[in-house]
Amino acid sequence: KMSLKSERRGIHVDQSELLCKKGCGYYGNPAWQGFCSKCWREEYHKARQKQIQEDWELAERLQREEEEAYASSQSTQGAQSLTFSKFEEKKTNEKTRKVTTVKKFFTASSRAGAKKDIQETKAPSPSVNRQASIETDRVSKEFIEFLKTYHKPGQDIYKQCKLFLDTMNHKRDLSIEEQSECAQDFYQNVAEKLQTRWKVPPEKVEKAMDQIERYIMTRQYKYVFCPETTDDEKKDLAVQKRIRALHWVTPQMLCVPVNEEIPEVSDMVVKAITDIIEMDSKRVPREKLACITKCSKHIFNAIKITKNEPASADDFLPTLIYIVLKGNPPRLQSNIQYITRFCNPSRLMTGEDGYYFTNLCCAVAFIEKLDAQSLNLSQEDFDRYMSGQTSPKKQESDSWSPDTCLGVKQMYKNLDLLSQLNERQERIVSEAKKLEKDLIDWTDGITKEVQDIVEKYPLEIKPKSQALAAIDSENVENDKLPPPLQPQVYAG
């Protein structure tokens, strides 16, 4: 939900709207329907327990119907088969739902072998596997070295992590939501054991959880990031296409308080874009979150330098939207979903990481719903910009700062030239079509005039007349002519 700001809608978000709608004080998330991780899991389990109870009631009712049918009907075998098949169908559905309690999660799977074969057929290329293997080995060695500082608890933590990874490898048939629940249950149980059973200090618990997340998610990344069973890839392409269509949006339209003509501010914008793009290269949810946090801090610094005062939340969100539009980060929705599903929930519920991540989710939601009113444009201009018929007037070359990068100047100059060429081409095509029509009309008009003249003055062909004799030719037959004059000579 976006609040109103003056006459335009959309870029201002009250801080209360970022919090869990249940009022617990933690940050909410669109993926959790506005709840925080803790409240969402409570609601999820309530709904699951309600479903289980309804299934038990249905099973008992079907059992009673089966017994009544057995007692009253002559065709006891047929009735029993019919009702029992219904019960078995419901029982099968319940099994596929797989309630994600820790006890049920750590049971063996009969489909482990078959699913392992399927995963092996979908494995990446050998070079990718080698690269992933090198990184996995490095992370494993660092994790073992880290656990040595915990002595006996470190050994137990390593066993728990190995057990979790082995179980996840045997549970590939679970949906991504159920795998996410398994990971969240694992985080919660390990954190509780660290605090209660192993008496680890709180500051060391947080470090341990970060290392545990890094270890298990580095190994699980290729299986749970943008899996084929989800529509994450489809959402990625939709967001990428949407951002490309909005390439014409300017900082002024978003009321972004950032002046990129200041070299230091321009550097901050470039670093922010680099950080948000770099998020896709990380494999651990916490490291992806760190990229979002670094990007956000560069944004705050850019605003602070421009305004010469600390940035506010109302300044931050429009600038974050501008950075996302300018950077068009790859696989944006997949990264958001991956963080939501497999990050240690405590990081998303509190702290600066949770705050910046929630703002990023709001920015993506705003981009998906962005319209003319959000940018303070008329609907006609918005439609023309979106269709590519025209674009907002770019900055004139003579208004650039002397310190502006030459490449940026050349880029805008080329964009202006392309825009002018596009308008010129459209004008030429229009004039050519008009000329073609005029030529056709002129030809038809001349043809009609000629036909009218021919009809009015028909052409008459007369017989050939006898040719007249030339004056200078010898005419011996005509004796009526006087003799030619002879020259006379007079003697002097």
Side-chain angles (χ1 to χ4, degrees):
K1 176 185 175 184
M2 300 285 181
S3 301
L4 293 176
K5 184 178 181 181
S6 66
E7 297 182 354
R8 58 183 297 175
R9 189 187 70 237
I11 304 181
H12 172 69
V13 175
D14 290 334
Q15 296 306 294
S16 60
E17 297 175 6
L18 302 179
L19 300 176
C20 174
K21 65 182 183 182
K22 203 170 182 179
C24 64
Y26 294 121
Y27 291 119
N29 193 285
W32 298 323
Q33 299 179 8
F35 293 104
C36 69
S37 175
K38 181 174 178 291
C39 295
W40 166 247
R41 286 164 60 79
E42 291 175 357
E43 295 294 322
Y44 180 83
H45 284 300
K46 283 181 184 178
R48 180 59 62 86
Q49 292 300 325
K50 182 180 179 182
Q51 183 66 47
I52 293 172
Q53 183 64 31
E54 291 176 355
D55 290 347
W56 274 110
E57 292 174 357
L58 175 63
E60 291 174 355
R61 182 169 60 81
L62 291 174
Q63 184 67 28
R64 286 196 302 271
E65 292 177 0
E66 180 184 358
E67 292 173 354
E68 292 171 1
Y70 181 82
S72 62
S73 174
Q74 295 297 326
S75 56
T76 55
Q77 186 174 358
Q80 180 183 5
S81 175
L82 177 62
T83 54
F84 187 72
S85 65
K86 291 181 179 179
F87 176 74
E88 282 296 307
E89 179 182 357
K90 199 66 183 177
K91 183 179 177 182
T92 302
N93 291 338
E94 172 56 31
K95 282 186 177 181
T96 58
R97 227 176 251 111
K98 296 186 184 299
V99 182
T100 54
T101 59
V102 177
K103 181 178 179 181
K104 192 160 186 175
F105 170 68
F106 283 109
T107 57
S109 173
S110 61
R111 297 180 60 186
K115 196 64 183 178
K116 184 178 180 181
D117 295 338
I118 294 174
Q119 290 297 329
E120 289 176 353
T121 59
K122 295 180 180 179
S125 63
S127 61
V128 175
N129 275 333
R130 282 195 297 270
Q131 183 179 359
S133 177
I134 293 172
E135 184 175 355
T136 300
D137 291 342
R138 179 177 58 81
V139 171
S140 299
K141 290 178 181 177
E142 292 175 357
F143 184 58
I144 292 173
E145 290 297 322
F146 171 79
L147 291 179
K148 287 181 180 179
T149 61
Y150 284 71
H151 307 294
K152 182 63 172 66
Q155 297 177 8
D156 294 335
I157 292 172
Y158 187 73
K159 290 178 182 178
Q160 291 289 330
C161 292
K162 290 292 290 183
L163 180 60
F164 172 78
L165 291 172
D166 292 341
T167 310
M168 285 290 283
N169 289 332
H170 295 155
K171 296 288 184 179
R172 298 290 174 217
D173 55 333
L174 294 178
S175 68
I176 194 64
E177 287 77 16
E178 289 172 319
Q179 292 186 58
S180 171
E181 282 292 309
C182 294
Q184 301 296 330
D185 286 336
F186 175 73
Y187 289 143
Q188 182 177 352
N189 281 274
V190 172
E192 289 177 355
K193 287 181 179 179
L194 283 169
Q195 293 174 350
T196 57
R197 182 186 300 180
W198 298 320
K199 307 299 181 183
V200 178
E203 63 275 7
K204 295 189 72 175
V205 170
E206 184 177 353
K207 291 182 180 179
M209 292 306 301
D210 289 342
Q211 291 296 327
I212 291 170
E213 178 191 309
R214 181 167 178 257
Y215 173 67
I216 64 174
M217 294 317 302
T218 299
R219 290 177 169 272
Q220 293 296 306
Y221 177 78
K222 64 181 180 180
Y223 302 114
V224 298
F225 181 84
C226 192
E228 296 178 358
T229 55
T230 66
D231 59 350
D232 291 352
E233 185 177 5
K234 182 180 178 181
K235 291 179 180 178
D236 287 335
L237 295 175
V239 171
Q240 191 176 61
K241 184 179 179 181
R242 174 71 171 172
I243 292 177
R244 285 177 178 172
L246 293 168
H247 66 90
W248 47 268
V249 176
T250 63
Q252 292 75 24
M253 294 177 182
L254 294 169
C255 297
V256 174
V258 167
N259 183 6
E260 293 185 68
E261 294 183 8
I262 303 173
E264 194 175 356
V265 173
S266 178
D267 290 342
M268 291 294 176
V269 170
V270 172
K271 289 179 180 178
I273 294 173
T274 303
D275 289 331
I276 198 70
I277 291 175
E278 189 181 3
M279 173 178 64
D280 186 60
S281 66
K282 305 298 182 182
R283 304 180 72 180
V284 183
R286 182 175 63 87
E287 293 177 357
K288 291 181 181 291
L289 271 181
C291 290
I292 298 173
T293 300
K294 286 195 296 182
C295 168
S296 301
K297 289 184 176 180
H298 286 313
I299 290 174
F300 273 108
N301 287 335
I303 298 172
K304 182 178 179 181
I305 295 171
T306 301
K307 300 181 68 175
N308 200 21
E309 62 182 20
S312 66
D314 290 342
D315 295 331
F316 169 66
L317 184 58
T319 312
L320 178 61
I321 293 169
Y322 173 65
I323 293 297
V324 173
L325 287 175
K326 198 169 183 179
N328 197 357
R331 300 191 293 184
L332 183 56
Q333 282 287 7
S334 289
N335 281 289
I336 289 176
Q337 290 295 331
Y338 176 69
I339 293 171
T340 302
R341 292 165 181 157
F342 295 102
C343 185
N344 186 354
S346 62
R347 282 197 168 272
L348 299 184
M349 293 162 59
T350 58
E352 61 179 9
D353 288 343
Y355 173 76
Y356 294 138
F357 179 71
T358 304
N359 273 275
L360 177 62
C361 295
C362 291
V364 175
F366 176 85
I367 290 171
E368 291 175 338
K369 299 176 182 179
L370 186 143
D371 56 14
Q373 188 177 355
S374 303
L375 300 174
N376 201 24
L377 295 173
S378 66
Q379 190 62 44
E380 293 76 13
D381 287 342
F382 182 82
D383 293 339
R384 281 169 45 230
Y385 296 156
M386 288 295 291
S387 64
Q389 294 178 0
T390 184
S391 61
K393 184 176 177 62
K394 298 293 188 301
Q395 190 170 5
E396 298 295 337
S397 58
D398 57 356
S399 63
W400 287 104
S401 169
D403 299 328
T404 305
C405 175
L406 294 176
V408 174
K409 290 183 181 179
Q410 186 63 40
M411 179 186 70
Y412 277 101
K413 182 179 178 181
N414 292 341
L415 287 174
D416 288 336
L417 182 59
L418 286 173
S419 178
Q420 294 172 13
L421 288 175
N422 185 49
E423 294 176 0
R424 181 180 177 186
Q425 177 70 13
E426 291 178 354
R427 188 166 60 251
I428 290 174
V429 171
S430 176
E431 293 294 334
K433 290 181 179 179
K434 183 175 181 297
L435 178 60
E436 182 183 16
K437 184 177 182 301
D438 291 344
L439 286 173
I440 293 173
D441 293 343
W442 179 80
T443 303
D444 293 342
I446 294 296
T447 303
K448 188 175 184 306
E449 289 181 7
V450 171
Q451 290 176 348
D452 292 342
I453 292 174
V454 169
E455 290 176 0
K456 187 175 181 180
Y457 304 103
L459 180 63
E460 295 181 4
I461 300 176
K462 296 183 178 180
K464 186 177 180 182
S465 59
Q466 186 177 4
L468 296 175
I471 296 178
D472 295 334
S473 64
E474 295 182 359
N475 189 358
V476 295
E477 296 179 357
N478 195 345
D479 55 353
K480 295 181 179 180
L481 290 175
L485 295 175
Q486 298 295 328
Q488 297 180 6
V489 178
Y490 295 94

